[in-house]
Amino acid sequence: MNTIRPKNKEEILTEVKKEVEQCTLCALATTRTHTVFGEGNPDAVIMFIGEAPGEEEDRTGKPFVGKAGQLLTRILQSVHISREEVYIANMLKCRPPNNRTPKEEEMEACFPYLEAQIALVNPSIIVTLGSVSTSFLLQTKESISKLRGRWFEWRGGKKIFPMFHPSFLLRYESRAVGSPRYLTWMDIQEVKRVYDLLRETT
Ligand code: URA
Ligand code: URA
């Protein structure tokens, strides 16, 4: 007898990924090499949301694998969080030419895919990386310097914690008190603190 079994979330994520691979909802479909769906633990407690694929990501189809991605990996490692235990995605699934800033209409077109990822993975903590994903999700024009390092309630039940984008950090070598790198290393410790608390109590 055939048993009818509901699809599990990994299967649904794979289906959404396949849909993204065929997507033509915006003009970036004509310039991309690969779509970059995102990757990681489908049961992650933390989801990181960047901006859009860069050159390396467009070439490989994987999120945060270029220079900024390597820095993100080191930021996570500094508090003993592995890339495998979290989920990593972007606002846009396709690279904007020359890494220009995503357009509003591109983000509007692409957002349902990210919304599906958020709904399926259902993370308690969303870390937005940089001003693009932060402003879009929090619907604010406040600068990332003012928003980073603070917790925001989102859609009842999730917490958003904005941080600087790793590619912004690449432009500043300094680790002096108050520098972007210093602030980011403080911020990731705060993320780790709340992550540990959530895991203790659930
Ligand atoms: N920058 C991003 O925002 N996302 C990536 O995947 C890579 C670089
Ligand atoms: N501007 C951005 O877009 N992101 C940062 O992280 C910092 C400045």
Side-chain angles (χ1 to χ4, degrees), residues 36 49-54 57 62-66 68-69 88-90 129 165-167:
V36 179
I49 304 178
E51 183 172 319
E57 292 79 20
K62 291 180 184 299
F64 281 102
V65 290
I88 301 179
N90 281 306
L129 297 169
H165 195 287
S167 57

Side-chain angles (χ1 to χ4, degrees), residues 7-152:
K7 290 185 174 125
N8 66 39
K9 66 170 146 180
E10 282 171 71
E11 290 168 328
I12 305 174
L13 279 166
T14 303
E15 285 180 3
V16 181
K17 182 174 189 226
K18 285 187 181 144
E19 200 175 318
V20 165
E21 284 164 6
Q22 309 293 322
C23 182
T24 55
L25 289 175
C26 83
L28 298 180
T30 63
T31 50
R32 71 177 177 231
T33 311
H34 291 106
T35 56
V36 179
F37 182 63
E39 66 183 16
N41 177 0
D43 298 311
V45 173
I46 312 182
M47 183 181 293
F48 288 83
I49 304 178
E51 183 172 319
E55 189 175 9
E56 275 299 293
E57 292 79 20
D58 177 66
R59 194 175 64 75
T60 58
K62 291 180 184 299
F64 281 102
V65 290
K67 270 206 149 86
Q70 290 161 26
L71 182 53
L72 176 62
T73 304
R74 294 205 301 279
I75 292 167
L76 297 182
Q77 281 171 348
S78 77
V79 293
H80 309 289
I81 295 174
S82 69
R83 280 179 68 120
E84 291 70 33
E85 74 191 272
V86 302
Y87 196 90
I88 301 179
N90 281 306
M91 269 314 300
L92 293 189
K93 309 309 187 208
C94 297
R95 182 191 184 200
N98 303 311
N99 303 339
R100 64 154 170 73
T101 301
K103 294 180 184 171
E104 192 64 31
E105 72 240 35
E106 292 162 353
M107 294 194 282
E108 294 289 350
C110 208
F111 187 51
Y113 299 129
L114 181 60
E115 271 186 305
Q117 289 171 299
I118 295 170
L120 289 161
V121 176
N122 195 25
S124 302
I125 300 172
I126 294 174
V127 175
T128 49
L129 297 169
S131 63
V132 167
S133 58
T134 301
S135 317
F136 190 91
L137 290 181
L138 294 180
Q139 293 289 297
T140 174
K141 294 196 156 66
E142 192 66 81
S143 74
I144 184 73
S145 317
K146 292 229 174 82
L147 297 169
R148 60 136 284 280
R150 296 163 53 190
W151 292 100
F152 297 88

Side-chain angles (χ1 to χ4, degrees), residues 161-202:
F161 190 80
M163 293 185 16
F164 285 131
H165 195 287
S167 57
F168 174 72
L169 302 181
L170 288 172
R171 295 190 252 144
Y172 298 90
E173 279 290 303
S174 170
R175 288 170 182 269
V177 174
S179 66
R181 285 187 189 241
Y182 173 87
L183 294 172
T184 297
W185 260 261
M186 305 284 287
D187 289 350
I188 197 66
Q189 288 175 54
E190 172 63 9
V191 169
K192 170 71 167 166
R193 185 184 72 80
V194 173
Y195 181 40
D196 287 345
L197 274 178
L198 284 172
R199 285 184 302 171
E200 268 169 32
T201 56
T202 52

